[in-house]
Amino acid sequence: MRALGIAVALASLAATAHAAKQEDAQAALADARQAEAQAASYGNRWLPAEAALKAAQDALAKQAWDDAIAQANRAKALAQRAVEQSRDQEARWRDAVIR
Amino acid sequence: MPSTIRVRAMASGTQTDVQALIQHPMDSGFVKDSNGVLIPPRHIETVTFEHDGKPVLIADWGPAVSKDPYIKFAFKGGAKGDTLTVTWIDNQGKTDSLEAKIA
Amino acid sequence: MSLRRAIAVVLTGLLLGGAAPGALDTDNPQAEQAAFQAYFKNRFPSLPIAEFGNGPYAVNADMRKQWEEIMQFPPYDFALDEGKTAFETKFADGKSYADCFENGGIGVRQNFPYFDTKAGEVVTLDLAINRCRQANGEKPLPYQTGLMVSLTAYMAETSRGRPFDIKIPDDPRALAAYEDGKRYFYTRRGQLNFSCASCHVTAAGQRMRADILAPALGILAAFPIYRSEWGSMGTIDRRFTTCSSQMRSEPLDPQDKSYRNLEYFLSYMSNGVPISGPGTRP
């Protein structure tokens, strides 16, 4: 009886952990999408960022939460670099003009 | 239907210099299209150059030769005004031929 | 720093000509064009202006030898034939391409792109061809390969040797388009962090892997091109989009406003370079 109780407790713990991971993955993907949208607003989407975003979506669909989180974080990091690049270049492209 | 063969033959002393460009996809059969489907093999197997009815060059090509092949060679003999005939036949049995005058 | 002092500093800065972000850098494209051409003449002093239309073949003797061999039987010949036939074929409504262009479309390629003051945008040759088709009830052509290349190849051939003659009308929208093209050219993008200038200005004439980088001056003169790497013909759009991808940056759509403005800027910079298209490239 006690064993059954422990088993049930463990199962619900696992289910909670599972649900938490899923939420983490979805949150990470949402963050990544937002960063990518920002890069897109500068007209500067990086191809590797898009690839990582797609990989994150595919992983999420397969319920591979850890994978999805890793890829989403990668996509977000790359998209953020793209935004930095665009902001930096907005100010500095003129330095390169041949005069 | 315009010819797929362009040829230029120049008599030069005791020999004739020949250049030819042939329009042909030369599909090896190993390449997939954008939908992932194999493009069927379609490539020239044999191309023959004949001078006054006698073959002066016969080439066995096949899938290793690239699209729109270009060939350049010289053969002994030939004079201005002579006829040079170029014929190719591919693995699907399609063929084309062109008669040109040596310049 | 007190607020007053901060304001004073900012005002002084603006007065001394600090450009507000986005403001026009210049209203003198002519001076920029002169500086651009002088830069490349300095980099490649032995090249006459006409040679700049030959890209890598102008700056590398070995490649030039191979090119001269290929040109005995130009690989774009088939596209040229197809283009001539298509150009001379009437549309279903009885009109033809000749009706849409000055001089019947013969010998006009060097005037493209131009700034259409009525529409307020840059019109490239490719865009003009499709507008001609649509005005006559025909479907527009895809921009990167196929019949579009053959048509532009034919029109370029009729202009071979004629120098680029791009005009910037006295219109702030035209200047803005030129500026946008200039901005695109010099802005770093993509994961590789290259701008067009990184390769075609700074590294012009040098190797990038097995390729020789063409100088930006005259770089569009040979289009459309048969590119050995493609094993087929391609338009300016084909090259722009693949270039963007090579920098790991999402390409714009063919004939996107910024691509057209880029073409406008590059062509204007190349005024005086003769049309050398259609051409071949490695």
Side-chain angles (χ1 to χ4, degrees), chain A residues 43-48 50 74 78 85-86 89-90 92-94 96-99, chain C residues 22-23 25 35-36 39 182-183 186-191 193 201 245 248-250:
Chain A
N44 192 17
R45 290 194 290 169
W46 285 8
L47 295 179
E50 284 172 32
R74 183 155 184 272
L78 286 166
Q85 180 189 53
S86 294
Q89 284 296 293
E90 262 187 352
R92 289 185 35 200
W93 71 263
R94 290 169 204 286
V97 175
I98 299 172
R99 288 173 217 291
Chain C
D25 201 17
F36 194 87
Y39 172 87
K182 184 171 89 183
R183 175 200 60 81
Y186 287 108
T187 300
R188 289 180 184 274
R189 65 193 70 253
Q191 189 188 29
N193 200 33
V201 172
S245 299
R248 304 201 193 148
S249 171
E250 175 75 38

Side-chain angles (χ1 to χ4, degrees), chain C residues 5 8 18 42 59 77 98 135 175 195 198-199 201-202 211 215 217 226 282:
Chain C
R5 182 157 159 69
N42 244 309
V59 298
D77 245 11
L175 262 179
S195 64
S198 309
C199 291
V201 172
T202 315
D211 283 321
L217 178 60
Y226 179 93

Side-chain angles (χ1 to χ4, degrees), chain C residues 27-133:
Chain C
D27 49 12
N28 198 349
Q30 230 177 342
E32 291 191 333
Q33 178 198 79
F36 194 87
Q37 298 204 356
Y39 172 87
F40 284 104
K41 291 209 182 96
N42 244 309
R43 279 284 295 274
F44 305 101
S46 62
L47 288 188
I49 184 107
E51 271 299 317
F52 281 97
N54 293 326
Y57 309 123
V59 298
N60 185 279
D62 187 33
M63 300 213 80
R64 192 187 188 92
K65 227 166 70 107
Q66 296 178 48
W67 174 58
E68 282 167 354
E69 272 253 7
I70 290 177
M71 286 302 277
Q72 289 176 29
F73 251 121
Y76 53 70
D77 245 11
F78 300 120
L80 206 49
D81 274 359
E82 184 186 54
K84 181 169 196 287
T85 310
F87 190 84
E88 292 169 351
T89 307
K90 290 208 202 314
F91 300 129
D93 67 356
K95 293 241 180 85
S96 68
Y97 292 101
D99 295 311
C100 297
F101 291 95
E102 237 183 2
N103 199 35
I106 302 299
V108 299
R109 184 262 174 275
Q110 69 282 358
N111 301 323
F112 285 85
Y114 71 92
F115 189 82
D116 184 338
T117 45
K118 270 214 302 264
E121 60 177 347
V122 169
V123 176
T124 59
L125 183 61
D126 303 41
L127 189 65
I129 285 175
N130 263 350
R131 291 209 169 145
C132 180
R133 290 178 61 88

